[in-house]
Amino acid sequence: MKEFNSLVLSAKAVTIFKNVINDIGISAFIKLLEYDNSDEKIFLSLYSDFVSTLYEKTDDLPEYINKLLQDDENIYVKQSAKGQTSPILEKAAHSELDFFEKLSQIKCEDIKSIYNVGIYLPEWENSNISVKNEYIKKISSIQTTGYGIYATHRMFLYKDNEIIPVKYPDPQRLSQMSGYEFERQKVIDNTMALIQGKPCNNVLLYGDAGSGKSSTIKAIVNEFYELGLRLIEIKKNQLYSLPDVIEKLADNPLKFIIFIDDLSFSTNDGDFGALKAILEGGVAGKTDNLAIYATSNRRNLVKENFNDRNGDDIHLQDTIQEVMSLSARFGLKVTFSKPNKDLYLSIVENLAMQYNICILKNELEIQAEAFALRNGGRSPRTAKQFIEYLASKCE
């Protein structure tokens, strides 16, 4: 199709957005625009290849291209995040964005008019999205929106040496949590310091099971996601990979919580030293754009026995100090203790309101206490399980 020859040539020269031009849908579109012979069967095949790929994501061409551009990790977006783009890079990026803008506005009628095949051909929409303007807007707010997978997800896992987005993150919000306001505020204040680029601490949340330690961290990320906060969860057996994770995030403009849940060690655990070195004292320290948040049921993180304190170690005090040293390297330690009766019932009542549970207060409290007795004692987790149990019985 000679009418599109200049666009085809421009496609061959795309450099910065190479990943976008190599996308299966865009590649199929370029092949369609490039075809200039008279064989209708080949034309129909090329047309079908493109539209079927487009339909897998959307029926709107500008929307499809815009999503690809927004998600692309390239040298321009990375340099923009550092504020280090050169005039040459700026010129090249804007030229390629002009190309994608023109590409996004090609209508199906523009192509079908060239081949009047006499049969129905599926169509696509051309919304008024300006892919160039949307990309420029993204770059201007990159410090809080991020780029690549970090622009579209808030929570991540570390798996097979890669940071993987969590498709369905825990939606817990601070407004849904009650009790432990004083403890939670300490973590919020520290997180805000991280977001604002101020000095902040690594945080250890320790205390009884089910008291809301992990939920607090996830709710904080959900609350401040739009300010540029993200979470990456690392398992205890992956701690040796912490330097690699930190290096991957070093130049990212966003702020990250490295989340380690249910952390504890045995005295001869090799992962103990890996975390200790990162927190303080190792050659590869952490960068200013992240903090480590860990939860544990143990204040000192290390499982001890009486032999550790009364054993045959010649320098017994050194052994004890080694056991306690890891916990001491968290600058902020917040205790989440098991709630007393009043706090537990207060949490139950607040949750009952959130779930629209209509039951007399006295009856609610009696049932809540009985539920806790049957399910391991009072805790915020038990309170939530009780309310969800009641909600499941409501018609």
Side-chain angles (χ1 to χ4, degrees):
M1 299 181 190
K2 295 179 181 179
E3 292 84 350
F4 302 115
N5 190 52
S6 62
L7 281 176
V8 171
L9 290 176
S10 295
K12 305 294 184 184
V14 168
T15 303
I16 294 174
F17 297 98
K18 201 72 173 178
N19 295 328
V20 177
I21 211 70
N22 289 334
D23 170 76
I24 184 171
I26 300 299
S27 295
F29 196 31
I30 298 300
K31 286 179 182 178
L32 175 62
L33 299 181
E34 192 174 19
Y35 185 69
D36 61 357
N37 293 320
S38 57
D39 190 321
E40 291 182 351
K41 292 181 180 179
I42 296 178
F43 163 75
L44 291 173
S45 178
L46 292 171
Y47 189 97
S48 174
D49 287 346
F50 164 62
V51 178
S52 63
T53 304
L54 178 68
Y55 280 3
E56 288 180 9
K57 302 294 184 180
T58 178
D59 61 1
D60 188 314
L61 179 58
E63 183 182 292
Y64 182 84
I65 295 176
N66 185 58
K67 182 71 165 58
L68 290 174
L69 291 171
Q70 294 285 324
D71 291 349
D72 188 44
E73 292 191 34
N74 55 65
I75 186 62
Y76 178 69
V77 77
K78 291 177 181 178
Q79 293 297 92
S80 295
K82 299 178 186 178
Q84 297 177 354
T85 55
S86 67
I88 289 178
L89 194 60
E90 287 283 350
K91 184 177 180 180
H94 281 258
S95 175
E96 293 184 13
L97 288 170
D98 286 334
F99 157 74
F100 284 110
E101 183 76 27
K102 293 175 184 176
L103 195 69
S104 72
Q105 294 307 316
I106 294 177
K107 297 178 173 58
C108 48
E109 291 82 3
D110 298 334
I111 295 177
K112 290 196 293 184
S113 63
I114 299 173
Y115 283 92
N116 188 14
V117 294
I119 63 171
Y120 171 78
L121 293 179
E123 302 176 343
W124 61 82
E125 294 285 342
N126 291 89
S127 62
N128 59 0
I129 296 174
S130 169
V131 298
K132 181 177 182 179
N133 289 345
E134 288 297 312
Y135 195 83
I136 292 172
K137 188 190 302 181
K138 167 198 174 71
I139 293 297
S140 68
S141 61
I142 198 167
Q143 298 299 320
T144 54
T145 58
Y147 57 83
I149 58 174
Y150 305 108
T152 52
H153 297 83
R154 65 190 64 186
M155 296 185 189
F156 305 82
L157 299 172
Y158 189 68
K159 184 178 180 181
D160 299 329
N161 298 320
E162 293 292 333
I163 297 173
I164 308 296
V166 176
K167 280 190 175 181
Y168 306 104
D170 189 333
Q172 180 79 60
R173 300 302 293 253
L174 290 174
S175 59
Q176 298 172 319
M177 308 181 77
S178 60
Y180 301 93
E181 284 81 7
F182 177 75
E183 292 83 357
R184 198 167 291 118
Q185 191 60 49
K186 289 183 179 180
V187 187
I188 291 172
D189 291 343
N190 190 76
T191 306
M192 287 305 301
L194 170 65
I195 292 171
Q196 295 167 3
K198 299 176 181 178
C200 66
N201 287 301
N202 297 312
V203 183
L204 173 63
L205 295 80
Y206 67 90
D208 296 290
S211 55
K213 303 182 295 294
S214 301
S215 295
T216 291
I217 296 173
K218 288 180 282 188
I220 286 173
V221 173
N222 287 329
E223 199 72 28
F224 301 118
Y225 163 75
E226 293 184 353
L227 298 181
L229 183 65
R230 305 290 186 269
L231 178 147
I232 299 175
E233 181 175 3
I234 291 185
K235 305 298 183 184
K236 197 202 88 170
N237 62 1
Q238 298 173 319
L239 289 176
Y240 68 91
S241 298
L242 259 177
D244 180 53
V245 174
I246 291 172
E247 186 176 343
K248 288 177 185 290
L249 303 174
D251 294 327
N252 200 296
L254 300 176
K255 307 298 182 183
F256 295 89
I257 290 174
I258 303 296
F259 175 45
I260 311 168
D261 197 21
D262 198 19
L263 185 62
S264 66
F265 299 94
S266 60
T267 52
N268 60 350
D269 198 323
D271 294 319
F272 179 92
L275 179 58
K276 183 178 172 183
I278 289 294
L279 289 172
E280 186 183 333
V283 174
K286 72 179 185 67
T287 54
D288 293 337
N289 67 334
L290 64 85
I292 296 172
Y293 284 23
T295 68
S296 180
N297 297 334
R298 299 176 180 276
R299 180 171 184 172
N300 290 325
L301 300 178
V302 179
K303 181 180 178 180
E304 298 180 84
N305 54 50
F306 285 112
N307 189 57
D308 292 326
R309 297 193 176 239
N310 300 300
D312 55 3
D313 196 325
I314 296 175
H315 301 288
L316 180 59
Q317 190 60 33
D318 288 349
T319 300
I320 296 173
Q321 288 298 320
E322 173 70 12
V323 167
M324 298 178 66
S325 64
L326 181 59
S327 174
R329 296 191 183 205
F330 285 91
L332 177 61
K333 292 180 279 292
V334 185
T335 307
F336 285 70
S337 301
K338 183 174 292 189
N340 58 28
K341 179 179 178 180
D342 290 341
L343 178 55
Y344 170 69
L345 293 178
S346 174
I347 294 171
V348 167
E349 290 167 13
N350 284 326
L351 287 172
M353 286 189 288
Q354 290 179 29
Y355 281 74
N356 295 316
I357 301 295
C358 297
I359 185 172
L360 292 174
K361 181 179 178 181
N362 186 52
E363 181 63 25
L364 180 69
E365 291 180 351
I366 291 172
Q367 290 192 38
E369 281 286 84
F371 189 91
L373 205 59
R374 296 192 303 269
N375 292 274
R378 304 183 187 106
S379 74
R381 180 184 295 160
T382 303
K384 186 174 183 181
Q385 290 170 345
F386 167 63
I387 293 299
E388 289 177 341
Y389 164 74
L390 290 183
S392 70
K393 296 177 65 177
C394 293
E395 296 182 357

